[in-house]
Amino acid sequence: MGRKRASPVTVLFGWVRRQSMKVKILAGVVLALCSLVALKHLVKDHDCFFIFSEAIHAAGIVVLIYKLTTYKTCSGLSLKTQEITALFLAARLACSVLMELDAHSVLDMATLISTAWVIYMIRFKLKSTYIKELDSMPLYYLVVPCVILALIVNPFTRFCYFSQVLWAFCVFLESVSVLPQLRLMQNAKMIEPFTAHYVFALGVARFLSCAHWIIQVYETRGMYLFLTGSGYFWFPAALLAEAVQTFILADFCYYYVKSFMQGQLLMRMPV
C-alpha cells in the first residue's frame, strides 16, 4: 500500500514549524491582515464585532461549565483568571448601568453570573482538584498597575469622573486577565482539551474586538482617533490594550490549531 498523503493544512503547518521566528511572526501578521480585510467586507455593521466577541467569550465559559459539571474537576483552570474576569465584568456592568444599558449589558450579566458560578465551583465544590501551586501569579501585579493607569488615562465623557476611571480600569484589566491562566498552563506544560477550548475562545473574542477598533480607524481615515473619548491619550491606550491581549493569545492559538490539526487531545505548551 502507498503512503497516506498528508493534507494541505498539515503540510502548511509543517512548513511553518520549520521556519524561523521572524518568518512565523510575518506569516501571523499577513494572516491577521487577510482576516481583517475579510471581516471588513463580510460584516457591514462593525458594532456587531463587540457582540460577537462577548458571545464567544460566553461560549468559552459554557465549555468550562460543561467540564466542571461532567468531569468534576477544575484541574488546569486558573482561579485568578476567573476572579479577574469577574472583576472587570462587574466594573463594565457598573459602567453600563451608569451610562447606557444595551445588548452588551445583557451578555456581560450572563457571563458574569457564569463566571461567578465557575469561581464558586473551584473554591468550594471542586477545591481538591485545584492545583494552587501552579496558579502562582500574584493578582496585585495586575490589578494595581491597571488602577494607576486608569487614574491617569481615561475617556473624557459627559458622565462622572468615577465612571470614566471605572471604564478605563475594566479595559486595562481585561487586557491582562488571561495572564494567570497562561502562566498556569506554562507551569503545567500539558493542557487538557476543555481548558484549551476556553482559552482559544478568548483569543478569537479578543481578535474580533481588536478588529472593530482597527477597521473603524481605517474607515474614518484616522478621524476615529478624535471621536473616541479624549482621543490623543484614551484611544491609543484602549487600542494598545486590545492589541496586547490579542498578541498574548496569538501564540497560544497557533499551538492550539496545530494540535487540533494533528489530532492531539492534550496540548503541549512550549517552554
Side-chain angles (χ1 to χ4, degrees), residues 174-235:
E174 183 179 13
S175 69
V176 295
S177 62
V178 76
L179 286 179
Q181 180 65 60
L182 292 178
R183 176 69 176 273
L184 184 150
M185 294 189 302
Q186 199 88 40
N187 291 337
K189 302 296 188 297
M190 298 292 292
I191 312 161
E192 55 81 36
F194 291 103
T195 302
H197 298 337
Y198 165 69
V199 178
F200 181 72
L202 293 182
V204 175
R206 286 303 90 217
F207 175 75
L208 289 174
S209 184
C210 190
H212 171 270
W213 292 88
I214 294 173
I215 291 174
Q216 289 289 80
V217 172
Y218 173 79
E219 289 197 334
T220 59
R221 298 184 180 180
M223 288 303 296
Y224 198 68
L225 292 169
F226 306 96
L227 298 175
T228 303
S230 55
Y232 291 108
F233 299 103
W234 165 243
F235 179 83

Side-chain angles (χ1 to χ4, degrees), residues 22-227:
K22 289 183 179 180
V23 174
K24 289 179 181 178
I25 292 174
L26 178 61
V29 171
V30 171
L31 179 61
L33 290 175
C34 292
S35 300
L36 285 173
V37 172
L39 288 171
K40 178 182 179 298
H41 289 91
L42 291 174
V43 182
K44 300 303 180 183
D45 185 0
H46 298 149
D47 287 334
C48 291
F49 286 133
F50 280 132
I51 296 179
F52 293 157
S53 173
E54 290 161 7
I56 291 172
H57 184 183
I61 296 292
V62 170
V63 170
L64 291 188
I65 292 174
Y66 177 80
K67 171 187 173 175
L68 297 178
T69 54
T70 304
Y71 294 91
K72 306 297 181 184
T73 177
C74 62
S75 176
L77 288 181
S78 168
L79 174 62
K80 293 178 180 179
T81 280
Q82 297 305 314
E83 289 174 339
I84 290 179
T85 299
L87 182 57
F88 81 70
L89 284 171
R92 193 159 69 193
L93 197 58
C95 288
S96 297
V97 172
L98 292 171
M99 297 179 181
E100 183 181 10
L101 291 171
D102 52 19
H104 303 281
S105 307
V106 176
L107 285 169
D108 281 343
M109 175 62 78
T111 307
L112 176 58
I113 292 172
S114 302
T115 303
W117 185 86
V118 170
I119 292 172
Y120 169 76
M121 293 294 288
I122 296 175
R123 276 195 171 277
F124 301 105
K125 294 293 186 180
L126 303 175
K127 185 177 180 180
S128 61
T129 63
Y130 170 56
I131 310 174
K132 186 176 181 180
E133 294 73 20
L134 298 180
D135 200 8
S136 57
M137 181 172 285
L139 286 181
Y140 57 83
Y141 281 6
L142 303 176
V143 177
V144 174
C146 289
V147 171
I148 296 172
L149 189 58
L151 290 170
I152 299 172
V153 182
N154 52 74
F156 179 77
T157 67
R158 59 187 176 86
F159 301 99
C160 65
Y161 177 72
F162 174 75
S163 65
Q164 296 170 17
V165 173
L166 195 61
W167 183 261
F169 171 69
C170 74
V171 168
F172 297 143
L173 190 62
E174 183 179 13
S175 69
V176 295
S177 62
V178 76
L179 286 179
Q181 180 65 60
L182 292 178
R183 176 69 176 273
L184 184 150
M185 294 189 302
Q186 199 88 40
N187 291 337
K189 302 296 188 297
M190 298 292 292
I191 312 161
E192 55 81 36
F194 291 103
T195 302
H197 298 337
Y198 165 69
V199 178
F200 181 72
L202 293 182
V204 175
R206 286 303 90 217
F207 175 75
L208 289 174
S209 184
C210 190
H212 171 270
W213 292 88
I214 294 173
I215 291 174
Q216 289 289 80
V217 172
Y218 173 79
E219 289 197 334
T220 59
R221 298 184 180 180
M223 288 303 296
Y224 198 68
L225 292 169
F226 306 96
L227 298 175

